[in-house]
Amino acid sequence: MYPYRHLFDFTREIFLNIGCSLEDAQLATQVLLEADLRGVDSHGVARLSGYIRLYEAGRINPKPTITIVHETPSTATVDGDGGLGLVVAPRAMEIAMEKAENVGSGWVSVRNSNHFGIAGYHAMQALQRDMIGMAMTNASPLVAPTHSTQRMLGTNPIAVAVPANEQPPFVADLATTTAANGKLEILQRKQKKTPSGWVQTATGLGSTNAFEVQSGGALLPLGSTKNRGSHKGYALGSIVDIFSGVLSGANYGPWVPPFVSFLAPPADPVGQGIGHFFGAMRIDAFRPADEFKHHMDNWITAFRNAHVKRGEKAVLIPGDPERIMTAKRLQKGIPLLPPVEKDLAEVGKKFGVKF
Amino acid sequence: MYPYRHLFDFTREIFLNIGCSLEDAQLATQVLLEADLRGVDSHGVARLSGYIRLYEAGRINPKPTITIVHETPSTATVDGDGGLGLVVAPRAMEIAMEKAENVGSGWVSVRNSNHFGIAGYHAMQALQRDMIGMAMTNASPLVAPTHSTQRMLGTNPIAVAVPANEQPPFVADLATTTAANGKLEILQRKQKKTPSGWVQTATGLGSTNAFEVQSGGALLPLGSTKNRGSHKGYALGSIVDIFSGVLSGANYGPWVPPFVSFLAPPADPVGQGIGHFFGAMRIDAFRPADEFKHHMDNWITAFRNAHVKRGEKAVLIPGDPERIMTAKRLQKGIPLLPPVEKDLAEVGKKFGVKF
C-alpha cells in the first residue's frame, strides 16, 4: 500500500523532470492520481511510464501554450499545443465554467491534446460551483461498429457530474463500450477469460479471450450484439468522437493517434492530436440551485431505496463505488501491482527520483 | 398502404377537433407522423387514440400557453402548460436554436409537458440551420436499475443530429434501454418471444416473455446485465431523467405520469407533467461550418466503408435505416396494422371525421 502523498510527490517530481512547470506538474499529478483514488487503476499512476515514453518520442509537449482559437459567448475551441491531456483538459474545463458563469452554460471542444486521465475528474470540477459538468474524449481505435470487424472508435467515455445537497453528488463516468479497456487489462494480467459480450475475434465472432484485441479483434460497443442494442453503444461512441474530434479539428475515428509510443500515429492525420469535449451548465440558469439540489437528494434517495434483487446488496447511484473507494484509499493507501511498482522504479531511476 | 397525405389530413382534423389551433394541429401532426415515415411505428399515428384519451381524461391541454419561466443568454426553462408534447417540444427546440444563433449554443429544459413523439424529429430541426441538435425526454417508469426489481426510469431516449455536406446527416435516436418499448409491443402483437437481455421478471430473473412488464417485470437498461454494462445504460437513462425532469421542475423517476389514460398519475407528484431537454450548438461556434461538414463527410464515408462482418450487408451510419424508410414510405405509403386501422376508424367516428 502506498500513501497517496507518496505517489503524489513521486509523480510530480517526474513531471517536473520532463520539463513541466510546477503548476502543471501539480495539476497533472492531481488528475492522474484521481484515477487511483477512485479505483480506476488502469488510468492512474500505472500509466505514468506511458506518458513519459510519449514525451520521449516527441509526442507530448511539456510546456504547451494552450489557446482559444475560436469562441462565442457560450462556446470555445481550444488548441492544446500537444500538451499533456492531464493539463489541457482542466484548463479547457475552466473555460467552460467561466462561460457558464457569464451566460448560463459553456461548451468547449479541444484539439491537439493527449490522454486526459479519467473523464470523471473533469466533470466533477463543476460540482463545487453548483454546475452540472460534462466531459468526454476520443481515444485510440479499439472498437468495431455493429456489423464491422474494423477498429474504428476508441472506448470514448462520457462523464456527467450533478450536485446534490445532503446526498453525495451523482457522478457517471462510463466508456461507451461493454467494458473499458482497463477492465480488459486487469483480466489480461490475471490470465483470465472475459465475460461474453466484451470482445470479438478478427473475423467478428464472439470471444472470451482477453487478448483478442492483440490478434486483430476488437472491443464491442455497449450492448454487445445488435440484438441487445450494440448499435446504440456504437452511436454513443460516435457522438463522443464527433463532439471531441470533428468539432474541434482533432483527429477522429480510425485516425486518432495511439496512446502507446511503440505504435506510430497515422501517416495521414485528419486533424491535430486527440480531441475532448467539455460542458458546464449553471444549475441556477434553469431553476434555483437550492430547489434543484433538494430534488436531487430526493432522486438519489428514491433510487438508493429501490427494491433490491435477491442476492444483490444494494441499488447503487452512479459514483457510489468510486466515492467509497476514494475514502478507503486516502486512509489505507493505494495498492500497486508488482509490474507497476517495477515500472515506476525504472521511471524513477531514469530521472534520479527515488520511488 | 396509406398515403402520407391521407394520414396527415386525418390526424390534423382530429387535433383540430380536440381544440388545437390550426398551427398547433399542423405541427403536432407533422411531429407525430415523422415516426411513421421513419419506421418507428410504435410512436406514430398508432398513438393518436392514446393522445385523445389523455385529452378526454383532462390530462392534455389543447390550447397551452407555452412560457419561458427562467432564462439566461444560453439556457431556458420552459413550462409547457400541460400541452401536447408534440407542440411543446418543437417550440422549446426553437428557443434553443434562437439562443444558439445569439450566443453559440442554447439549452432548454421543459416541464409540464406530455409525450413528444420521436426524439429524432426535434434534434433534426437543427440540421437546416447548420447546428448540432439534441433532444431527450423522460417517460413513464418501465425500466429497473441494475440490481433492482423496481421500475424507476422510462426508456428515456437521447437523439443527436449532426449535419454533413454531401453525405446525409448523422442522426442517432436511441432509447437508453436494450430495446425500446415499441419494439416490445411489436413482439407482443406477433405473440413472439424477446431476445434475451430485454426484460426481467418481477423478481429480477432473465426472461424472454414479451408480456413480462404487464406481470410486474421490467425493461432492462442498455447493456442488459451488470457483466455487460447495464449500469451504464442505467446511468445514461438517469442523466436523461435529471436533465429533463429535475432541472426543469417536471416529475422524474418513478413519479413520471404514465402515457396511458387508464393508469392514474402518481398521487404525490414531485413536479409538473413530464420533462424534456433540448440542445442546439451552432457549428460555426466551434469551427467554420464548411470545414466541419467536409470532415463529417469524411467521417461518414470512413465508417460506411469499414470492413463488414461476413454474413452482414453493410456498416450503417446512425440514421441510415430511417432515411431509407422515409423515402420508401413517402413513395409507397405507410402500412398500418389492422388493430391500428380499427382504432383510427373509431377515433374518426367519435369526431365525425372519416378515416
Side-chain angles (χ1 to χ4, degrees):
Chain A
M1 290 292 182
Y2 293 82
Y4 175 75
R5 197 66 238 175
H6 176 88
L7 293 180
F8 191 97
D9 291 344
F10 174 78
T11 304
R12 189 184 52 186
E13 274 308 303
I14 300 298
F15 282 133
L16 284 170
N17 265 280
I18 66 168
C20 293
S21 69
L22 179 59
E23 199 189 348
D24 282 6
Q26 195 94 359
L27 182 58
T29 302
Q30 193 174 330
V31 177
L32 187 69
L33 293 191
E34 187 76 7
D36 294 291
L37 286 179
R38 291 175 76 76
V40 191
D41 296 353
S42 54
H43 282 54
V45 75
R47 287 221 172 142
L48 181 61
S49 67
Y51 287 103
I52 302 307
R53 280 190 296 269
L54 279 177
Y55 158 74
E56 289 169 336
R59 282 157 63 180
I60 281 179
N61 175 4
K63 286 186 171 53
T65 305
I66 300 164
T67 49
I68 295 177
V69 293
H70 196 105
E71 70 180 317
T72 70
S74 77
T75 69
T77 302
V78 163
D79 188 309
D81 196 23
L84 284 164
L86 303 169
V87 169
V88 175
R91 296 274 149 75
M93 186 65 196
E94 185 60 39
I95 293 166
M97 293 188 292
E98 276 164 30
K99 287 184 179 283
E101 292 287 3
N102 292 332
V103 296
S105 76
W107 307 87
V108 176
S109 193
V110 179
R111 73 184 188 210
N112 207 0
S113 185
N114 282 286
H115 197 280
F116 75 6
I118 51 169
Y121 175 92
H122 309 296
M124 287 171 73
Q125 296 311 299
L127 295 174
Q128 58 224 38
R129 293 163 82 156
D130 273 2
M131 293 178 184
I132 291 175
M134 297 179 66
M136 42 186 98
T137 185
N138 66 13
S140 332
L142 293 173
V143 184
T146 306
H147 296 334
S148 182
T149 57
Q150 202 174 336
R151 295 190 294 243
M152 298 292 285
L153 288 169
T155 53
N156 297 6
I158 300 173
V160 177
V162 183
N165 186 27
E166 292 177 7
Q167 292 292 326
F170 172 105
V171 182
D173 183 358
L174 52 106
T176 50
T177 46
T178 313
N181 195 39
K183 291 264 169 70
L184 205 65
E185 287 168 4
I186 292 167
L187 296 177
Q188 288 167 359
R189 269 182 235 116
K190 295 182 179 168
Q191 300 278 336
K192 283 198 172 172
K193 292 209 169 295
T194 72
S196 74
W198 287 26
V199 290
Q200 68 180 19
T201 67
T203 58
L205 300 174
S207 168
T208 57
N209 174 2
F211 295 89
E212 205 60 78
V213 179
Q214 284 88 327
S215 332
L219 285 170
L220 293 173
L222 178 59
S224 300
T225 61
K226 176 73 172 77
N227 249 345
R228 290 185 170 198
S230 70
H231 52 295
K232 302 180 184 198
Y234 156 43
L236 290 166
S238 300
I239 291 164
V240 172
D241 193 36
I242 292 167
F243 284 20
S244 304
V246 188
L247 208 48
S248 66
N251 289 290
Y252 48 79
W255 289 277
V256 176
F259 175 70
V260 289
S261 58
F262 59 85
L263 291 178
D268 56 344
V270 292
Q272 294 175 281
I274 78 166
H276 318 307
F277 187 78
F278 303 99
M281 296 192 285
R282 240 171 55 211
I283 297 295
D284 67 4
F286 293 93
R287 72 189 293 189
D290 283 354
E291 207 176 280
F292 174 87
K293 292 196 285 182
H294 162 78
H295 279 286
M296 274 309 295
D297 279 356
N298 190 41
W299 191 100
I300 290 169
T301 308
F303 279 73
R304 211 189 285 296
N305 293 331
H307 303 152
V308 185
K309 204 185 282 192
R310 183 193 289 243
E312 299 294 345
K313 281 186 201 136
V315 177
L316 300 176
I317 306 301
D320 275 354
E322 296 83 359
R323 195 185 62 255
I324 293 163
M325 184 63 89
T326 301
K328 188 176 154 189
R329 289 190 167 180
L330 279 174
Q331 204 198 339
K332 302 200 172 170
I334 294 163
L336 297 178
L337 292 172
V340 174
E341 289 177 311
K342 187 163 161 278
D343 207 36
L344 290 175
E346 274 169 26
V347 170
K349 207 168 161 190
K350 187 179 286 175
F351 296 104
V353 183
K354 197 172 146 35
F355 176 59
Chain B
M1 290 292 183
Y2 293 82
Y4 174 75
R5 197 66 239 175
H6 176 89
L7 293 180
F8 191 97
D9 291 344
F10 174 78
T11 304
R12 190 186 49 185
E13 275 308 304
I14 300 297
F15 282 133
L16 283 171
N17 265 281
I18 67 168
C20 294
S21 70
L22 180 60
E23 199 189 349
D24 282 5
Q26 193 99 355
L27 182 59
T29 302
Q30 194 174 330
V31 177
L32 187 70
L33 292 191
E34 187 76 9
D36 294 291
L37 287 179
R38 292 174 76 76
V40 191
D41 297 351
S42 54
H43 282 53
V45 75
R47 287 221 174 143
L48 181 60
S49 67
Y51 287 103
I52 302 307
R53 279 190 296 270
L54 280 177
Y55 158 73
E56 290 169 336
R59 282 157 65 180
I60 282 179
N61 174 3
K63 286 187 173 52
T65 305
I66 300 164
T67 49
I68 295 178
V69 293
H70 197 107
E71 71 179 317
T72 70
S74 77
T75 68
T77 302
V78 164
D79 187 309
D81 196 22
L84 284 163
L86 304 169
V87 169
V88 175
R91 297 274 151 74
M93 185 66 195
E94 184 61 38
I95 294 166
M97 292 189 292
E98 276 165 29
K99 289 187 176 281
E101 292 288 2
N102 292 332
V103 295
S105 75
W107 307 86
V108 176
S109 193
V110 179
R111 74 184 186 209
N112 206 0
S113 186
N114 281 286
H115 197 280
F116 75 7
I118 52 169
Y121 176 91
H122 309 297
M124 287 173 74
Q125 296 311 300
L127 294 173
Q128 59 223 37
R129 294 163 81 157
D130 274 1
M131 295 179 183
I132 292 175
M134 297 177 67
M136 43 186 98
T137 186
N138 65 13
S140 334
L142 293 172
V143 184
T146 306
H147 296 333
S148 182
T149 57
Q150 202 173 337
R151 295 190 294 242
M152 298 293 285
L153 288 169
T155 54
N156 297 8
I158 300 173
V160 177
V162 184
N165 186 26
E166 292 178 6
Q167 292 292 327
F170 171 105
V171 182
D173 182 358
L174 52 105
T176 50
T177 45
T178 313
N181 194 40
K183 291 264 170 69
L184 205 65
E185 288 168 1
I186 292 168
L187 296 178
Q188 288 167 359
R189 267 183 238 118
K190 296 182 178 169
Q191 300 277 337
K192 282 197 171 173
K193 292 209 169 292
T194 73
S196 73
W198 287 25
V199 290
Q200 68 180 17
T201 66
T203 58
L205 301 175
S207 168
T208 57
N209 174 2
F211 295 90
E212 205 61 79
V213 178
Q214 284 88 325
S215 331
L219 285 170
L220 294 173
L222 178 58
S224 299
T225 61
K226 177 74 172 75
N227 248 344
R228 290 185 170 197
S230 69
H231 52 296
K232 302 180 184 198
Y234 157 43
L236 290 167
S238 300
I239 292 164
V240 172
D241 192 37
I242 292 166
F243 284 21
S244 304
V246 188
L247 208 48
S248 67
N251 288 290
Y252 47 79
W255 289 277
V256 176
F259 175 69
V260 289
S261 58
F262 59 85
L263 291 178
D268 56 343
V270 292
Q272 294 176 281
I274 78 166
H276 318 307
F277 187 78
F278 302 98
M281 296 192 285
R282 239 171 55 212
I283 297 294
D284 67 3
F286 293 94
R287 72 188 294 191
D290 284 354
E291 206 177 281
F292 174 87
K293 291 196 285 183
H294 162 79
H295 279 285
M296 273 310 294
D297 279 355
N298 189 43
W299 191 99
I300 290 169
T301 309
F303 278 73
R304 211 187 285 295
N305 292 330
H307 302 152
V308 184
K309 204 185 282 193
R310 183 193 290 242
E312 300 294 347
K313 282 186 200 139
V315 176
L316 300 175
I317 306 301
D320 275 354
E322 295 85 358
R323 195 185 59 256
I324 293 164
M325 185 63 89
T326 300
K328 187 175 152 191
R329 291 192 167 178
L330 278 174
Q331 207 199 336
K332 303 201 170 168
I334 294 163
L336 298 178
L337 292 172
V340 174
E341 289 176 311
K342 186 163 161 276
D343 209 35
L344 290 175
E346 275 168 25
V347 170
K349 206 168 161 189
K350 187 179 286 174
F351 295 104
V353 183
K354 196 173 146 35
F355 176 58

